[in-house]
């Protein structure tokens, strides 16, 4: 019989629902069982218990024991229905919640304000971007995913109702309380974002709440402090402020929070809060809009309501107006007594009470409180701060950051070789993350000064000035305005410089600009979080596309919807491993191997970069410059890359010449180097020579002949301690070689005997020969050519020959304590003796760089010659050089590039594709690219320090290839 009654009630309820054409969002997937549970509980309750269910009380997990006892008493004595948690910490809240739930006769409905994440109220929890930032995102699937992941956080900590999303349409820039909490000023965009957010969150079983009904977006007062007035007519409110509610209600919105507002067009009583207005709550929300979900008051302790009447009276008035849940009452026991008096006086009917209490119980059933389980605290903080949350935050910022103005079309930056970039920090917060990210792309100098004249003078030598306006990211209510001084400085900088203004605050900061005439470009990055700063720098350099649009207007110069769309220039970006199908957890094995190498003294230090699908997903350093020193390896320290020089200097120059038809792979040495016409090497082709299949000796110790036979030290015949006529080749500090010995080196190579057998034999000699040819062809040195043709435009400003005369020794990692040639520490001078004897500029060695720059060059190769919006080579050129022409002769090599082993042993882990390519260097360096997995792996080391004479344990222990194997093991798609 009870089942039939429940079924009849359900069918009646369904008929009403169909009639009003809006769903009941509180209905469970098993409505009959839900109705039985609700009726059973309700029928067993006393009047006091029923009224108690209407109350949701504020709780702080950081509160005192006495305050906690007060809450326990409210639960036990007044049978309150729910709690809304405020400030505290996640573990403390979970433990407190378990304790408070245990004290409740009927499980408590738990709510929180977690609009952008639990961090709105709790420490040690995650903060997603503000709604204003999300409003700039065009891809609403990302907004839905945000709601979903935020919902997962809520569910994990036992929160059933999240008082979000805010659906206020922020048409008033001076709104003191909404602002960043709104998705923007466009009703359709706000609605679409709120709907996506709601769907995502409710898909996890956490119920959403749209607020602040009927609309708090166009107010100039804070309802926490007073009663704001909304002066629009009813038609305007219906078409704008109510629009999101209409859409969300049709799609299953679970609850609405009614704001404390004075709205004369909807409530004729002057100064009467909307929370207490029967016309607003019942006639409009419940009847006209057909809303059947829970209706919460905003906090009844807020001045916008509490100024109206005494505790208890306001609760009763709110209930009579149509609200279901009294949120944060000023005095629950007093209010419950007043409810009882009103009930006994027939001011409140049993059906009215049952209407709200049964809705509350329906919600409790729907969130699973019919089968309540305590919150587990194991791994709780980690569960609320997941890798996938950072990955989503990255995607959101990539899609939000907006190019709001770009009159000269300078964004994203191209032609880096023409740029001299300065960065100026304005605002009251740090821009260090932004600045460091900028420096990953090219040379950028931070310029600061005590006065404006000094600053302007310092900026004269730059042709591009990035002004970062950094404001606190601690909360969405933090100050976002320019100071008068900053406005003056900005306009003066813009008057004399090409400026990119990057706003790390809400778009309304732009309202302070009286003119933008001299500001060529404006970027809005919305927030000053670490990820926002990183992504903004990446956007400026075209590592990511520009997709965002302004969610609000900001004065006469910037309109809602503005936003230049720009494609990526295919420069390396920086992202979480999971963004490109890699596991952060699995990559910890790379850390272990690198630490093992450093701790085992296989190398003093290491730089490591791993990129996949155009994103650097691992960028770490290990160890120190030397074993005995204290200087730790940093991201921008330079290493002697040794034989990587072959593929990052000589080879790309040769590829250019081949592509231009000046040489071919079948070109013979006698055709490009006249002195080889009568040499035993005259018929050696570039293809054979660069495949190490030309019978050339692997290495010639040119320096031996320049040592004194008795002392084994540099002979006075060949060296001087100071630079003088005929002795200008600097091989080390206070050591200058005789100039003509460079020619002797070329002669020795030309005249040396060939090996007796034709077989694969690695040799440096081809690169001595190619250096001779290329420099003769261009009539320029190799260091100038590589910089002009590649490094400057690539933004590889940390890649160079002879860094000793360009940067501080503190940024250059030493290579060896030389006790056989130069007899001093080799630092900033090339380690390879032959390259040193060529003034530090060898075709086979001599380049210094860091892992980040080498990754750029390898990515250029991986992208078939395209990088940074520029085509350096044709696709077919890369394919031509990345081909093994003599594999059938057991020679794995490509043209210049090393290739994977053909058997068991070789230069790789054996887990890479056969189309992959790279090279290694004597100092411990290694670079490898795999087109099929789109992976770039760069390893920088100085394993030759303090000496290169001992066993190469870095090689013997397979450190570099074990790391490579770990990289491939970390692939998850």
């Amino acid at each position: 019989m009870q089942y039939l009654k429940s079924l009849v009630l359900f069918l009646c309820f369904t008929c009403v629902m169909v009639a009003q054409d809006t769903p009941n969002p509180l209905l469970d997937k098993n409505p009959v069982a839900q109705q039985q549970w609700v009726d059973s509980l309700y029928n067993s309750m006393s009047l006091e218990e029923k009224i108690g269910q209407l109350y949701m009380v504020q709780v702080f997990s950081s509160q005192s024991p006495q305050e906690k006892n007060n809450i326990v008493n409210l639960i036990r004595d007044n049978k309150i229905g729910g709690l809304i948690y405020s400030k505290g910490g996640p573990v403390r809240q979970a433990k407190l919640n378990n304790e408070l739930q245990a004290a409740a006769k009927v499980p408590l409905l738990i709510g929180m304000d977690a609009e952008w994440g639990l961090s709105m109220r709790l420490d040690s929890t995650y903060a997603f971007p503000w709604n204003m930032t999300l409003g700039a995102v065009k891809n609403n699937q990302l907004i839905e995913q945000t709601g979903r992941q935020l919902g997962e956080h809520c569910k994990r900590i036992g929160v059933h109702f999240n008082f979000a999303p805010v659906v206020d349409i922020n048409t008033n820039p001076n709104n003191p309380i909404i602002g960043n909490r709104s998705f923007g000023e466009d009703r359709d965009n706000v609605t679409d974002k709120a709907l996506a957010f709601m769907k995502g969150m409710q898909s996890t079983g956490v119920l959403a709440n749209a607020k602040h009904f009927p609309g708090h977006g166009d107010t100039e007062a804070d309802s926490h402090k007073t009663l704001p007035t909304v002066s629009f007519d009813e038609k305007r409110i219906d078409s704008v402020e109510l629009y999101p509610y209409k859409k969300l209600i049709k799609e299953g919105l679970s609850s609405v929070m009614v704001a404390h507002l004075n709205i004369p067009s909807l409530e004729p009583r002057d100064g009467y809060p909307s929370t207490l207005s029967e016309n607003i709550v019942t006639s409009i929300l419940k009847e006209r809009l057909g809303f059947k979900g829970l209706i919460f008051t905003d906090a009844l302790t807020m001045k916008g309501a509490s100024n109206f009447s005494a505790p208890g009276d306001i609760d009763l008035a709110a209930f009579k107006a149509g609200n279901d849940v009294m949120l944060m009452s000023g005095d629950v026991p007093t209010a419950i007594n007043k409810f009882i008096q009103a009930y006994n006086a027939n001011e409140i009917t049993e059906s009215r009470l049952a209407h709200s209490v049964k809705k509350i119980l329906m919600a409790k059933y729907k969130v699973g409180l019919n089968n309540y389980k305590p919150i587990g605290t194991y791994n709780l903080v980690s569960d609320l701060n997941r890798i996938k949350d950072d990955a989503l935050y990255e995607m959101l910022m990539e899609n939000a950051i907006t190019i709001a103005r770009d009159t000269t079309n300078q964004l994203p930056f191209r032609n880096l070789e023409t740029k001299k970039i300065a960065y100026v920090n304005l605002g009251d917060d740090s821009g260090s993350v932004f600045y460091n990210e900028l420096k990953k792309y090219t040379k950028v100098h931070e310029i600061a000064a005590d006065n404006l004249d000094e600053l302007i003078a310092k900026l004269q030598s730059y042709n591009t000035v990035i002004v970062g306006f950094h404001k606190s990211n601690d909360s969405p209510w933090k100050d976002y305005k320019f100071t008068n001084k900053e406005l003056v400085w900005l306009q003066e900088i813009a008057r004399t410089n090409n400026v990119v203004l990057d706003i790390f605050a809400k778009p309304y900061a732009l309202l302070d600009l009286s003119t933008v005439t001299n500001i060529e470009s404006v970027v809005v990055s919305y927030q000053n979080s670490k990820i926002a700063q990183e992504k903004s720098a990446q956007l400026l350099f075209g590592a990511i596309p520009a997709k965002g649009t302004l969610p609000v207007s900001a004065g006469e110069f910037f309109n809602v919807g503005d936003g230049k769309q720009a494609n990526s220039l295919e420069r390396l970006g920086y992202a979480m491993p999971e963004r490109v199908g890699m596991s952060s957890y699995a990559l910890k094995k790379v850390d272990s191997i690198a630490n093992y190498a450093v701790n085992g003294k296989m190398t003093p230090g290491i730089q490591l970069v791993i990129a996949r699908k155009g994103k650097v997903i691992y960028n770490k350093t290990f160890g120190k410059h030397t074993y005995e020193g204290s200087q730790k390896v940093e991201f921008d320290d330079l290493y002697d890359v040794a034989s990587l020089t072959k593929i990052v200097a000589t080879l790309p120059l040769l590829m250019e010449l081949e592509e231009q038809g000046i040489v071919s792979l079948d070109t013979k040495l006698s055709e490009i180097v006249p002195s080889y016409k009568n040499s035993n090497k005259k018929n050696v082709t570039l293809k054979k020579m660069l495949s190490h299949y030309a019978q050339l000796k692997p290495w010639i110790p040119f320096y031996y002949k320049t040592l004194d036979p008795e002392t084994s030290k540099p002979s006075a015949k060949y060296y001087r301690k100071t630079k003088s006529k005929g002795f200008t080749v600097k091989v080390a500090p206070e050591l200058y070689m005789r100039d003509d010995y460079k020619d002797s080196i070329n002669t020795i190579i030309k005249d040396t005997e060939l090996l007796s057998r034709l077989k694969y034999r690695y040799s440096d000699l081809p690169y001595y020969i190619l250096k001779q040819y290329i420099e003769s062809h261009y009539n320029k040195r190799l260091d100038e050519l590589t910089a002009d043709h590649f490094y400057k435009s690539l933004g590889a400003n940390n890649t160079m020959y002879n860094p000793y005369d360009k940067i501080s020794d503190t940024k250059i990692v030493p290579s060896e304590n030389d006790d056989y040639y130069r007899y001093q520490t080799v630092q900033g001078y090339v380690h390879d003796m032959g390259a040193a004897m060529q003034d530090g500029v060898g075709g086979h060695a001599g380049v210094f760089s860091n892992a980040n720059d080498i990754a750029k060059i390898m990515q250029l190769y991986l992208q078939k010659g395209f990088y940074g919006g520029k085509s350096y080579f044709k696709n077919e050129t890369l394919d031509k050089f990345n081909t093994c022409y003599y594999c059938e002769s057991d020679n794995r090599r490509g043209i210049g590039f090393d290739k994977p082993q053909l058997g068991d042993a070789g230069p790789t882990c054996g887990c890479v594709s056969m189309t992959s390519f790279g090279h290694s260097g004597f100092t411990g360096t290694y670079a490898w690219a795999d087109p099929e997995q789109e992976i770039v792996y760069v390893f920088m080391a100085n394993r030759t320090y303090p000496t290169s004479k001992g066993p190469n344990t870095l090689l013997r222990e397979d450190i570099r290839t074990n790391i490579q194997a770990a990289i491939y093991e970390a692939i998850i798609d």
Side-chain angles (χ1 to χ4, degrees):
M1 179 62 69
Q2 183 62 40
Y3 172 81
L4 290 175
K5 287 181 179 178
S6 298
L7 183 60
V8 169
L9 283 170
F10 167 63
L11 291 174
C12 290
F13 201 95
T14 303
C15 289
V16 173
M17 182 186 74
V18 171
Q20 293 189 1
D21 196 30
T22 56
N24 183 345
L26 303 178
L27 275 178
D28 186 68
K29 59 185 176 183
N30 188 345
V32 173
Q34 180 187 38
Q35 192 67 55
Q36 288 177 329
W37 187 83
V38 168
D39 289 343
S40 175
L41 269 181
Y42 186 82
N43 292 336
S44 68
M45 288 178 176
S46 67
L47 176 61
E48 291 84 351
E49 289 173 331
K50 292 174 183 176
I51 296 170
Q53 288 298 304
L54 304 175
Y55 280 87
M56 184 171 272
V57 175
Q58 185 179 37
V59 182
F60 296 79
S61 58
S62 58
Q63 65 195 4
S64 68
Q66 180 57 48
E67 290 170 319
K68 186 185 81 171
N69 290 336
N70 292 340
I71 299 298
V72 171
N73 291 336
L74 288 173
I75 294 170
R76 288 177 175 166
D77 299 342
N78 299 109
K79 306 299 188 293
I80 59 173
L83 305 172
I84 174 171
Y85 279 98
S86 192
K87 295 293 185 181
V91 176
R92 285 175 290 163
Q93 179 169 312
K95 290 178 178 179
L96 177 62
N97 193 71
N98 289 342
E99 187 177 346
L100 297 180
Q101 286 282 20
K105 179 180 177 181
V106 177
L108 299 161
L109 197 61
I110 306 301
M112 270 190 79
D113 282 312
E115 294 168 16
W116 57 85
L118 298 177
S119 67
M120 185 172 176
R121 294 290 183 256
L122 301 179
D123 62 38
S124 308
T125 55
Y126 203 81
F128 291 98
W130 321 135
N131 280 358
M132 184 70 76
T133 307
L134 301 184
V137 175
K138 290 192 289 187
N139 182 355
N140 288 331
Q141 290 182 344
L142 290 175
I143 311 304
E144 183 171 345
Q145 184 62 27
T146 304
R148 183 176 298 110
Q149 290 186 205
L150 201 159
E152 290 166 356
H153 290 177
C154 290
K155 196 173 185 71
R156 177 66 180 87
I157 203 169
V159 170
H160 310 119
F161 264 98
N162 180 11
F163 293 107
V166 172
V167 300
D168 297 319
I169 299 166
N170 206 83
T171 49
N172 187 341
N174 297 318
N175 193 318
I177 191 61
I178 303 303
N180 266 330
R181 300 165 67 197
S182 167
F183 290 113
E185 72 176 54
D186 179 81
R187 69 163 199 179
D188 296 299
N189 187 43
V190 169
T191 301
D192 291 343
K193 297 292 183 291
L195 181 58
F197 187 96
M198 178 197 83
K199 285 183 175 179
M201 188 164 64
Q202 293 193 161
S203 71
T204 69
V206 172
L207 305 183
N209 177 276
K211 61 184 184 184
H212 305 82
F213 187 85
H216 205 322
D218 203 324
T219 59
E220 293 193 13
D222 180 357
S223 54
H224 293 82
K225 301 175 181 179
T226 187
L227 183 67
T229 295
V230 176
S231 56
F232 297 119
D233 62 29
E234 185 173 359
K235 182 178 180 181
R236 147 69 196 243
I237 292 171
D238 182 71
S239 63
V240 178
E241 277 73 16
L242 295 185
Y243 186 81
Y245 293 96
K246 295 175 185 177
K247 295 289 185 178
L248 268 63
I249 287 169
K250 288 182 180 179
E251 295 293 334
L253 173 66
S254 297
S255 70
V256 166
M257 178 182 287
V258 182
H260 307 308
L261 300 169
N262 174 40
I263 313 175
S265 64
L266 301 182
E267 172 53 59
R269 285 170 287 188
D270 183 42
Y272 200 77
S274 49
T275 337
L276 313 184
S277 169
E278 184 176 1
N279 181 56
I280 291 172
V281 180
T282 296
S283 299
I284 295 176
L285 178 57
K286 297 172 75 172
E287 294 174 359
R288 188 196 308 173
L289 301 187
F291 182 59
K292 302 179 182 68
L294 277 181
I295 302 174
F296 290 79
T297 67
D298 206 341
L300 294 176
T301 51
M302 291 166 60
K303 295 298 183 181
S306 61
N307 284 347
F308 173 75
S309 60
D313 292 334
I314 190 171
D315 305 47
L316 187 58
F319 183 74
K320 288 179 177 179
N323 293 282
D324 299 309
V325 182
M326 312 304 117
L327 194 65
M328 295 166 57
S329 171
D331 188 341
V332 173
T334 297
I336 288 177
N337 285 331
K338 291 192 175 183
F339 267 83
I340 293 171
Q341 293 170 14
Y343 182 90
N344 292 332
N346 293 321
E347 292 178 35
I348 299 173
T349 65
E350 170 61 24
S351 62
R352 170 69 187 91
L353 184 62
H355 173 77
S356 287
V357 175
K358 286 189 176 184
K359 282 167 69 177
I360 292 166
L361 294 176
M362 287 177 73
K364 290 188 176 187
Y365 186 94
K366 184 162 186 175
V367 299
L369 285 176
N370 59 310
N371 186 27
Y372 165 74
K373 294 178 182 178
I375 304 162
T377 57
Y378 175 73
N379 221 34
L380 177 60
V381 174
S382 296
D383 290 344
L384 299 177
N385 294 274
R386 303 166 299 182
I387 289 170
K388 75 175 190 177
D389 298 320
D390 276 342
L392 176 59
Y393 197 119
E394 283 190 357
M395 287 189 282
L396 291 168
M397 292 313 307
E398 287 179 6
N399 280 267
I401 298 172
T402 306
I403 301 176
R405 175 181 172 86
D406 190 28
T407 58
T408 58
N409 202 32
Q410 65 176 321
L411 297 179
F413 294 132
R414 299 172 182 264
N415 306 317
L416 297 184
E417 70 276 13
T418 68
K419 299 285 190 286
K420 291 194 68 178
I421 302 177
Y423 161 69
V424 175
N425 185 337
L426 297 181
D428 54 15
D429 206 7
S430 172
S432 61
V433 172
F434 180 57
Y435 175 51
N436 288 330
E437 198 76 4
L438 291 172
K439 291 192 295 181
K440 292 178 181 178
Y441 289 97
T442 192
K443 188 180 293 183
V444 179
H445 294 138
E446 182 171 10
I447 305 299
D450 294 329
N451 60 71
L452 181 56
D453 289 341
E454 181 186 359
L455 182 66
I456 296 299
K458 287 182 177 180
L459 291 175
Q460 284 181 355
S461 59
Y462 298 90
N463 58 25
T464 302
V465 179
I466 300 170
V467 178
F469 180 60
H470 301 273
K471 300 296 285 185
S472 174
N473 198 61
D474 289 346
S475 86
W477 298 287
K478 285 286 187 177
D479 177 52
Y480 61 91
K481 290 179 172 290
F482 286 90
T483 65
N484 289 334
K485 175 185 174 182
E486 287 169 341
L487 289 171
V488 171
W489 282 39
L490 174 61
Q491 292 299 345
E492 284 303 304
I493 293 169
R495 190 173 60 83
T496 55
N497 295 274
N498 171 44
V499 164
V500 176
L501 173 62
D502 202 333
I503 302 289
F504 293 90
K506 60 184 173 184
Y508 292 135
L510 296 169
L511 288 167
D512 291 337
L513 302 182
S514 59
T515 177
V516 292
T517 301
N518 293 322
I519 301 175
E520 286 77 11
S521 303
V522 175
V523 174
V524 180
S525 296
Y526 299 96
Q527 298 184 225
N528 201 40
S529 64
K530 176 179 180 291
I531 292 176
Q533 291 188 51
E534 290 170 341
K535 293 302 174 183
S536 188
Q538 292 174 35
L539 181 142
L540 293 183
F541 284 95
I544 58 174
K547 299 179 179 179
T549 58
L550 289 179
V552 293
S553 298
E556 60 180 299
F557 309 118
F558 303 96
N559 298 313
V560 63
D562 284 356
K564 173 184 172 179
Q565 309 297 289
N567 293 328
S568 164
L569 298 182
E570 296 190 40
R571 287 195 178 102
L572 277 174
Y574 299 81
M576 299 288 296
E578 282 69 16
R579 294 283 309 283
V580 292
M582 303 283 285
S583 165
S584 296
Y585 179 79
L587 285 170
K588 290 180 180 179
K589 186 175 180 180
V590 174
D591 296 4
S592 299
I593 298 170
N595 282 318
Y596 172 72
V598 170
N599 294 336
K601 294 194 172 181
M602 302 175 204
T603 178
I606 296 170
Q607 279 180 351
L608 260 174
V609 164
I610 303 165
R612 191 178 191 215
K613 298 181 180 179
K615 305 290 184 185
V616 173
I617 49 91
Y618 187 103
N619 186 7
K620 294 187 180 182
T621 61
F622 302 85
K624 300 179 294 184
H625 283 205
T626 63
Y627 294 120
E628 67 276 9
S630 60
Q631 188 169 353
K632 292 183 178 180
V633 176
E634 295 181 346
F635 165 82
D636 55 350
D637 289 338
L638 268 59
Y639 281 84
D640 181 337
V641 306
S643 283
L644 293 190
T645 301
K646 297 178 173 71
I647 66 167
V648 302
T650 308
L651 194 64
L653 289 169
L654 184 68
M655 292 166 74
E656 280 187 326
L657 293 171
E658 192 278 337
E659 192 170 282
Q660 294 164 11
I662 295 170
V663 298
S664 75
L665 296 186
D666 294 322
T667 295
K668 298 174 182 177
L669 288 184
S670 59
E671 296 173 334
I672 57 174
V673 185
S675 61
Y676 275 75
K677 286 184 178 178
N678 296 314
S679 166
N680 57 1
K681 304 169 188 66
K682 63 182 179 181
N683 292 321
V684 171
T685 63
L686 294 181
K687 181 192 291 185
K688 282 202 166 188
M689 184 172 76
L690 293 176
S691 299
H692 301 282
Y693 196 59
Q695 296 176 264
L696 299 180
K697 286 185 177 181
W699 179 63
I700 299 174
F702 301 108
Y703 75 100
Y704 279 1
K705 291 185 179 181
T706 70
L707 300 180
D708 186 296
E710 294 184 8
T711 64
S712 296
K713 291 187 175 181
S715 167
K717 178 181 177 181
Y718 293 101
Y719 297 94
R720 296 287 186 271
K721 287 189 175 182
T722 59
K723 188 175 183 180
S724 58
K725 185 177 180 180
F727 291 85
T728 64
V729 179
K730 193 175 186 182
V731 298
E734 299 182 1
L735 192 61
Y736 292 85
M737 189 186 76
R738 209 167 80 189
D739 295 349
D740 61 1
Y741 199 74
K742 288 199 295 184
D743 294 331
S744 298
I745 289 173
N746 291 330
T747 301
I748 291 169
I749 294 171
K750 175 175 67 71
D751 294 340
T752 190
E753 293 296 320
L754 294 172
L755 298 177
S756 59
R757 288 179 53 212
L758 175 62
K759 63 175 183 178
Y760 164 59
R761 193 72 182 273
Y762 180 78
S763 175
D764 282 340
L765 302 188
Y767 293 88
Y768 284 86
I769 300 169
L770 286 174
K771 167 185 159 66
Q772 183 183 358
Y773 163 63
I774 292 171
E775 290 186 338
S776 172
H777 175 78
Y778 286 106
N779 195 27
K780 269 188 177 182
R781 281 171 39 133
L782 210 59
D783 52 349
E784 297 176 78
L785 291 167
T786 50
D788 291 344
H789 287 227
F790 300 103
Y791 303 157
K792 291 178 183 177
S793 58
L794 285 170
N797 298 97
N798 290 305
T799 305
M800 65 191 76
Y801 285 92
N802 292 324
Y804 66 83
D805 64 354
K806 301 177 182 70
I807 64 174
S808 167
D809 280 355
T810 61
K811 301 305 295 178
I812 307 172
V813 179
S815 301
E816 187 173 23
N817 289 331
D818 183 339
D819 61 358
Y820 52 88
Y821 174 34
R822 287 164 278 194
Y823 291 89
Q824 57 184 282
T825 298
V826 179
Q827 184 177 17
Y829 294 79
V830 61
H831 177 266
D832 183 272
M833 293 71 73
M837 299 170 81
Q838 294 179 303
D839 220 5
V841 183
H844 66 294
V847 168
F848 286 72
S849 189
N850 63 4
N852 189 62
D853 271 11
I854 297 298
K856 294 175 186 178
I857 298 170
M858 297 304 290
Q859 189 68 27
L860 162 69
Y861 289 144
L862 198 66
Q863 292 172 181
K864 298 291 185 73
F866 186 86
Y867 192 87
K870 179 179 178 180
S871 181
Y872 291 83
F873 312 111
K874 298 175 183 176
N875 287 3
E876 52 267 31
T877 303
L878 265 297
D879 293 337
K880 194 180 297 183
F881 279 72
N882 183 28
T883 295
C884 176
Y885 291 96
Y886 302 104
C887 280
E888 71 283 357
S889 300
D890 200 27
N891 179 351
R892 67 175 187 264
R893 292 275 176 166
I895 306 299
F897 295 117
D898 201 356
K899 298 282 291 173
Q901 56 264 41
L902 301 176
D904 295 331
T908 76
C909 57
C911 52
V912 298
S913 74
M914 293 307 293
T915 59
S916 69
F917 56 92
H919 216 285
S920 59
F922 184 74
T923 53
T925 58
Y926 186 88
W928 208 267
D930 188 340
E932 294 183 28
Q933 288 293 346
E934 298 181 76
I935 287 176
V936 166
Y937 161 42
V938 182
F939 181 103
M940 296 280 110
N942 58 329
R943 68 101 194 160
T944 50
Y945 187 91
T947 178
S948 62
K949 291 180 179 178
N952 185 351
T953 51
L954 195 72
L955 181 62
R956 289 186 181 183
E957 294 269 2
D958 296 323
I959 296 300
R960 296 172 299 187
T961 53
N962 284 344
I963 287 176
Q964 190 174 51
I967 294 168
Y968 281 74
E969 289 168 7
I971 296 173
I972 53 180
D973 75 354

